[in-house]
């Protein structure tokens, strides 16, 4: 075969490969879309009966029912707690399925987002005797401010929840060579190295009973990973030399 003939064949083959690769990608993205839609519909449907139960429980609890015995009150408390947990789970699933539909062109002032998340979590930190601090340079990025707030909030909330009494949580944001670095450091229990990938899986918990005790439903980091993904970033976990964990998120700076 002549050289030009070989080249022609190669180009043909490459074209065919690229067509089947594109078809595969299309099918994959269709499958993801069906799954996303299913999660969104299921979460929507579950939300209404849960909200109705919540209203009934709130009404019941607000009247006090002094005639009730301790057993009944205990049962009602348990139902209220579980209802609240289910509602949080459904909300997290809904948030996750709606992620793709949110715009991502806000100009985000990182300083303001970090300050807001830390202020909102200050009561939880005080309750757990944890000291929060933020070191944020003059950094702006393009993305969804609701989602970036949620990302910081979830990471800091975990850093408080899985910390020791008297512990520290430090949020640091800086920019270097067109990349934005956001890290959340804690002085808590740490995450065993072999489980660091799995903590991002929905419903995965290192210590189920501790997470349950702290009111966790196992979706916080799954949501964090999705938020990082839709912003084309990356997230890694490493040990804090001072004991505990560091979550580090890196975004490429993109202009509108
Ligand atoms: P949860 O609702 O259980 O907190 P997440 O998805 O937010 O769910 O986190 C998954 C699991 O990862 C937690 O149950 C906990 O075991 C572990 N984890 C998350 N953040 C930390 C942290 N900062 N330090 C130690 N363990 C953590």
């Amino acid at each position: 075969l002549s050289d030009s003939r070989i080249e022609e064949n190669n180009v043909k083959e490459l074209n065919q490969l690229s067509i089947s690769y594109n078809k595969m990608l299309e099918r994959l993205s269709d499958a993801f879309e069906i799954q996303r839609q299913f999660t969104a519909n299921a979460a929507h449907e579950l939300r209404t009966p849960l909200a109705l139960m919540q209203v009934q429980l709130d009404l019941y609890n607000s009247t006090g029912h002094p005639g009730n015995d301790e057993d009944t009150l205990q049962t009602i408390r348990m139902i209220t707690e579980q209802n609240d947990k289910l509602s949080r789970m459904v909300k997290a699933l809904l948030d996750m399925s709606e992620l793709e539909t949110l715009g991502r062109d806000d100009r985000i002032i990182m300083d303001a987002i970090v300050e807001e998340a830390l202020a909102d979590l200050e009561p939880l930190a005080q309750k757990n005797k944890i000291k929060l601090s933020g070191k944020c340079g003059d950094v702006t990025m393009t993305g969804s401010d609701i989602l970036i707030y949620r990302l910081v909030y979830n990471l800091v909330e975990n850093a408080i929840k899985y910390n020791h009494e008297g512990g520290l949580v430090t949020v640091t944001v800086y920019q270097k060579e067109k990349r934005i670095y956001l890290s959340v450091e804690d002085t808590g229990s740490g995450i065993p190295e072999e489980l660091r990938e799995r903590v991002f899986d929905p419903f995965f918990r290192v210590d189920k009973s501790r997470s349950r005790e702290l009111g966790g439903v196992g979706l916080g980091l799954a949501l964090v990973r999705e938020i990082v993904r839709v912003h084309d970033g990356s997230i890694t976990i490493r040990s804090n030399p001072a004991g505990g964990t560091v979550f580090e998120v890196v975004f490429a700076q993109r202009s509108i």
Side-chain angles (χ1 to χ4, degrees), residues 114 118 122 131-135 168-172:
V114 170
L118 291 183
E122 188 53 41
K131 196 172 168 298
L132 302 181
S133 73
K135 288 185 244 163
L168 303 174
V169 174
T170 313
V171 183
T172 310

Side-chain angles (χ1 to χ4, degrees), residues 158-159 161-162 186 189-191 199 204-207 211 216-221 245 247:
N158 279 347
K161 283 195 317 188
Y162 300 103
D186 66 58
S189 51
I191 302 174
V199 291
F204 181 84
R205 263 84 51 92
V206 174
D207 180 347
S211 160
V217 294
L219 286 170
L221 287 181
T245 314
F247 281 83

Side-chain angles (χ1 to χ4, degrees), residues 124-194:
L124 182 70
Q126 276 183 17
K127 199 174 129 213
N128 289 271
K129 302 195 171 62
I130 306 291
K131 196 172 168 298
L132 302 181
S133 73
K135 288 185 244 163
C136 199
D138 183 19
V139 178
T140 55
M141 71 174 269
T142 307
S144 157
D145 57 1
I146 299 177
L147 293 182
I148 297 296
Y149 166 83
R150 205 43 205 278
L151 164 89
V152 178
Y153 185 99
N154 283 5
L155 289 177
V156 176
E157 187 185 30
N158 279 347
I160 297 171
K161 283 195 317 188
Y162 300 103
N163 217 318
H164 303 301
E165 208 179 287
L168 303 174
V169 174
T170 313
V171 183
T172 310
V173 181
Y174 65 92
Q175 186 173 341
K176 196 176 159 195
E177 288 157 10
K178 300 215 166 166
R179 281 176 201 274
I180 294 159
Y181 295 81
L182 171 115
S183 68
V184 178
E185 271 180 59
D186 66 58
T187 52
S189 51
I191 302 174
E193 201 164 342
E194 66 279 12

Side-chain angles (χ1 to χ4, degrees), residues 8 84 214 233:
E8 213 176 281
D84 179 56
L214 298 166

Side-chain angles (χ1 to χ4, degrees), residues 29-234:
S29 112
D30 284 354
F32 278 130
E33 178 52 27
I34 290 169
Q35 197 190 19
R36 191 193 68 75
Q37 200 57 53
F38 174 81
T39 312
N41 290 345
H44 263 297
E45 293 298 322
L46 289 170
R47 215 161 52 153
T48 315
L50 277 172
L52 287 174
M53 279 201 282
Q54 190 67 53
V55 170
Q56 292 300 321
L57 283 167
D58 286 349
L59 253 174
Y60 188 89
N61 289 333
S62 68
T63 52
H65 295 275
N68 272 339
D69 58 61
E70 189 45 42
D71 273 359
T72 312
L73 290 176
Q74 175 68 21
T75 307
I76 300 284
R77 267 200 295 274
M78 203 194 88
I79 297 174
T80 310
E81 254 173 54
Q82 294 305 317
N83 187 282
D84 179 56
K85 187 172 163 189
L86 264 175
S87 306
R88 276 184 291 128
M89 226 183 251
V90 165
K91 186 175 178 312
L93 283 174
L94 204 57
D95 285 351
M96 232 180 307
S97 64
E98 285 176 349
L99 226 65
E100 303 283 352
T101 60
L102 287 171
R104 278 189 277 291
D105 284 335
D106 303 325
R107 183 169 170 271
I108 305 169
I109 299 165
M110 293 303 282
D111 196 14
I113 295 272
V114 170
E115 202 176 301
E116 191 184 343
L118 291 183
D120 291 346
L121 283 161
E122 188 53 41
L124 182 70
Q126 276 183 17
K127 199 174 129 213
N128 289 271
K129 302 195 171 62
I130 306 291
K131 196 172 168 298
L132 302 181
S133 73
K135 288 185 244 163
C136 199
D138 183 19
V139 178
T140 55
M141 71 174 269
T142 307
S144 157
D145 57 1
I146 299 177
L147 293 182
I148 297 296
Y149 166 83
R150 205 43 205 278
L151 164 89
V152 178
Y153 185 99
N154 283 5
L155 289 177
V156 176
E157 187 185 30
N158 279 347
I160 297 171
K161 283 195 317 188
Y162 300 103
N163 217 318
H164 303 301
E165 208 179 287
L168 303 174
V169 174
T170 313
V171 183
T172 310
V173 181
Y174 65 92
Q175 186 173 341
K176 196 176 159 195
E177 288 157 10
K178 300 215 166 166
R179 281 176 201 274
I180 294 159
Y181 295 81
L182 171 115
S183 68
V184 178
E185 271 180 59
D186 66 58
T187 52
S189 51
I191 302 174
E193 201 164 342
E194 66 279 12
L195 299 179
R196 287 186 191 157
E197 271 302 307
R198 296 187 60 199
V199 291
F200 294 105
D201 292 344
F203 306 112
F204 181 84
R205 263 84 51 92
V206 174
D207 180 347
K208 267 202 187 335
S209 59
R210 177 152 163 76
S211 160
R212 206 172 298 128
E213 215 176 275
L214 298 166
V217 294
L219 286 170
L221 287 181
L223 190 58
V224 162
R225 180 168 63 184
E226 283 304 287
I227 295 172
V228 171
R229 182 183 64 77
V230 299
H231 285 84
D232 301 320
S234 61

